[in-house]
Amino acid sequence: MGEESSTGSGGGTKPDARSNDNSHGHRRGRKKKNNTYAGEREDKKFVGQSDKIGVFTSQGTHKRVDGTTQYNDTLQSIVTYAADNYGSYASKSVAKGKLILPQQPDVKDYADMTWYAKAVERYEKHKEGILEDLRRLYQTVFNNCDPVVQATLKEANDFETMDDRMDVLLLLKRIESLTFKGNTTTDPFYAIVMMLREVFSTTQHKKMGIPKYYDNFTAIMKAGDELLGGSDKLLGAFDELYISVIAAENGEEVEGDGAIDDDTKQEYAKQGRERMSAMMFILGADRSRYAEAIDQMQQDFLKGNSAYPKKINMAYTLLRNVKVKAKQPHTHDRDDEGH
């Protein structure tokens, strides 16, 4: 692709492990368990061609939630970069994932066809300017994909068409798909199992604040939805169970005479997905800080009071407002909110 290869892939060469003053060629440095040596340098972190936007890197051994967080952060940096350098229409197009253009002139608004023709000419010029801005942005984004991501993108049958058109919106969709679904060489059942394992093991660690935990949680839930086919697909797999549970709570029947209707079932399924998401978020919170609040919810439930939040935003607000006792004696440990 000419300029498409990133100059910041950071492979580098490892330093010669042999000492210049050792004719027997013995390696210097302490040997590590993985047969590398303490004197060897690790590969550089991929930084991309432009430092004005973030990068898209292959996940490797990292959790998918790291990849989704990286994608969201990098996309936001591209939106900001586009606004600063190309204007609002290019920026909004990237943010929305579709081409956003100014309103086209309507002939009915013009009594004089000469003025209408001039308005159309200005519109077409403006439109072409926006398209050119997006074409310029294409190469910047592609060059901030690491070599593994670039190679995976090139596997698509229509890559050359996308590349020739410099379609940055399609490029971002492809990168998003890789981030949330994985590449086509991954066994689908392997991908599903690994996704489920990560979904149910995503928790808040001791130095993580609630906002960061929320971002990680919603990112992995979105990734699960995308892998399984779209919005609400992940938790929607349990809709029948939610319907039965909520109907039982309300003393209603799901089947037989007097059973709830389909509209009610759909509503209960929606409520169930919301409650499930909120419960997962609550139970994944750091027990060292929030165990007392969570245990109190359970005690309230046993007393007949439904204290558990029923929506993810309610769970977020609840944990944000819990007064966490100061940690003792490690006062130097702080989470990402400075607590």
Side-chain angles (χ1 to χ4, degrees), residues 225 230-248 254 260 262-277:
D225 282 339
S231 179
D232 291 332
K233 291 294 184 180
L234 177 62
L235 294 183
F238 306 99
D239 277 356
E240 293 299 322
L241 178 59
Y242 308 145
I243 293 168
S244 297
V245 170
I246 297 177
V254 177
I260 57 177
D262 289 342
D263 288 342
T264 303
K265 288 181 180 180
Q266 290 183 11
E267 176 60 25
Y268 286 176
K270 178 176 179 292
Q271 291 179 18
R273 292 191 294 270
E274 292 172 342
R275 287 174 61 177
M276 187 72 165
S277 178

Side-chain angles (χ1 to χ4, degrees), residues 18-57:
R18 295 176 297 177
S19 170
N20 291 333
D21 60 357
N22 191 333
S23 60
H24 296 289
H26 293 302
R27 297 177 185 247
R28 301 180 67 182
R30 180 171 56 85
K31 189 173 182 179
K32 296 181 180 180
K33 292 182 179 179
N34 61 356
N35 292 328
T36 59
Y37 291 79
E40 293 179 336
R41 287 164 41 190
E42 295 181 355
D43 290 343
K44 295 179 182 178
K45 182 178 179 181
F46 178 76
V47 294
Q49 186 181 58
S50 172
D51 61 358
K52 302 299 183 182
I53 64 172
V55 296
F56 294 114
T57 60

Side-chain angles (χ1 to χ4, degrees), residues 19-135:
S19 170
N20 291 333
D21 60 357
N22 191 333
S23 60
H24 296 289
H26 293 302
R27 297 177 185 247
R28 301 180 67 182
R30 180 171 56 85
K31 189 173 182 179
K32 296 181 180 180
K33 292 182 179 179
N34 61 356
N35 292 328
T36 59
Y37 291 79
E40 293 179 336
R41 287 164 41 190
E42 295 181 355
D43 290 343
K44 295 179 182 178
K45 182 178 179 181
F46 178 76
V47 294
Q49 186 181 58
S50 172
D51 61 358
K52 302 299 183 182
I53 64 172
V55 296
F56 294 114
T57 60
S58 56
Q59 293 177 33
T61 58
H62 298 294
K63 290 185 176 181
R64 187 181 295 263
V65 67
D66 296 331
T68 56
T69 299
Q70 178 198 76
Y71 174 83
N72 291 333
D73 291 347
T74 299
L75 181 64
Q76 185 56 51
S77 72
I78 297 170
V79 170
T80 301
Y81 175 79
D84 293 341
N85 292 274
Y86 301 119
S88 58
Y89 285 103
S91 176
K92 183 64 72 173
S93 294
V94 172
K96 293 285 189 179
K98 61 182 180 180
L99 183 61
I100 304 296
L101 296 172
Q103 186 174 358
Q104 190 169 0
D106 189 337
V107 66
K108 293 184 296 184
D109 296 331
Y110 294 84
D112 188 328
M113 294 305 295
T114 302
W115 287 107
Y116 171 69
K118 291 182 178 180
V120 170
E121 183 180 354
R122 287 194 300 270
Y123 169 82
E124 292 297 335
K125 184 177 181 179
H126 192 183
K127 175 182 174 180
E128 180 54 35
I130 295 168
L131 294 175
E132 178 60 23
D133 289 341
L134 292 172
R135 287 192 287 267

